[in-house]
Structures are given as structure tokens and as C-alpha cells.
Amino acid sequence: QVQLVESGGGLVQSGGSLRLSCAASGFTLAYYGAGWFRQAPGKEREGVSSISTGAHETNYADSVKGRFTISRDDDKEKVYLQMNNLKPEDTAVYYCALVVTEATLNPSDYDYWGQGTQVTVSS
């Protein structure tokens, strides 16, 4: 059975850090592009970061460049998002997703989704 499970969310103070993990099962992760997305209250789901298969090319939303880092460990079937210098504006539910084609920051391109993990950043 294919499944993506996010973990690592929680409460953090402004300026703090969190590391999100996405555990894939039922996949050979190396064959898929991956992305992290978020949805804040009253806003549409937006792309945060993506990482391709093969060369592991990365892409970031302008709002998180220099603060967030996406990575993957295909042997462990996991995708990570290291979030540093968190801001209240980062508060959202964060989702992991996989795509069988090119990894992008467009949610509509993705084929498989996790259930999300809440990240709350206090002032």
C-alpha cells in the first residue's frame, strides 16, 4: 500500500527551527520527484520546496529561500525539510507529496500526498 506520513511539526518560537520528515512506503522513492507544500488559514495551498530525482535539483519559494532546506535519503525512503529562522508567517499545515514526472512548486502536478503536519510559530 502506498503511503506518505509526515512528522516533526509542532510549536516553536519565532527564530527557532524544526525538521520535518516524510516517510514513504509502497514506493521506490528514487523514482519520484518530491515536494513540500503548506496551507495557512484563509490561504491557498502553496509550494514551499521541491527536489528532483536523479540530480536532486532543488527549488524554493521566495519566502523561504535561505531559511529552508529540502533533502532526501532514497535509501531510507524519506524526504526532509529543515526549517530555520522560523517566522509567524510560516504557520501552516505542511504536506509532503510525490510526483512521477518533474518536481515543481505547483500542487496540481503532484500524484501522491500525505495527511500533513501542523507547524505553529509564535511571536
Side-chain angles (χ1 to χ4, degrees), residues 39-78:
Q39 188 163 20
K43 294 187 176 182
E44 294 184 337
R45 188 170 299 185
E46 65 174 346
V48 175
S49 184
S50 66
I51 183 166
S52 69
T53 187
H56 293 180
E57 179 182 346
T58 59
N59 194 15
Y60 297 92
D62 289 341
S63 60
V64 307
K65 285 181 179 177
R67 300 189 297 121
F68 291 10
T69 303
I70 191 171
S71 61
R72 62 192 294 162
D73 187 335
D74 292 338
D75 290 338
K76 294 183 177 180
E77 304 284 358
K78 290 186 176 179

Side-chain angles (χ1 to χ4, degrees), residues 8 11 23 44 51 55 57 62 69 89-91 93 98 100 102 104 110 114:
L11 298 170
E44 294 184 337
I51 183 166
E57 179 182 346
D62 289 341
T69 303
E89 307 94 275
D90 297 317
T91 295
V93 177
L98 300 183
V100 298
E102 182 182 4
T104 71
Y110 283 74

